[in-house]
Amino acid sequence: MTGDGDGTDGERVAALSSRDEAVLAVERRSWPGPGPKERAIRERLGISPTRYYQLLNALLDDPRALAHDPVTINRLRRVRDARRARR
């Protein structure tokens, strides 16, 4: 069975991974500067800041991320669009 009628498979597909949710949680916080944020990325997520920003950038275009945290995703999209406009 594909789950077309009951929606259960669709709900599982639509959920973000726990890592993606953790990335958004880190980004949602206010940081005093890059040092504490980079430390938190390494300690909480166990990944490098470079990998963090790669994951975060991919999440900006993921509709599941927008559904999960629209305020953070829309804020980051505005920042990205402003940077692109300056180029």
Side-chain angles (χ1 to χ4, degrees), residues 20-82:
D20 290 343
E21 288 182 10
V23 166
L24 290 175
V26 168
E27 195 59 31
R28 193 178 308 121
R29 286 199 49 200
S30 176
W31 298 96
K37 183 176 181 180
E38 289 180 1
R39 261 190 311 283
I41 291 167
R42 291 182 191 280
E43 292 171 3
R44 294 180 190 177
L45 303 176
I47 59 177
S48 72
T50 300
R51 182 65 181 141
Y52 169 84
Y53 286 109
Q54 290 170 341
L55 294 169
L56 182 62
N57 193 46
L59 285 170
L60 294 183
D61 297 318
D62 189 330
R64 298 171 304 163
L66 181 61
H68 177 77
D69 192 346
V71 173
T72 301
I73 295 298
N74 284 324
R75 175 179 56 84
L76 293 171
R77 284 178 176 179
R78 284 191 302 272
V79 169
R80 179 181 66 180
D81 292 346

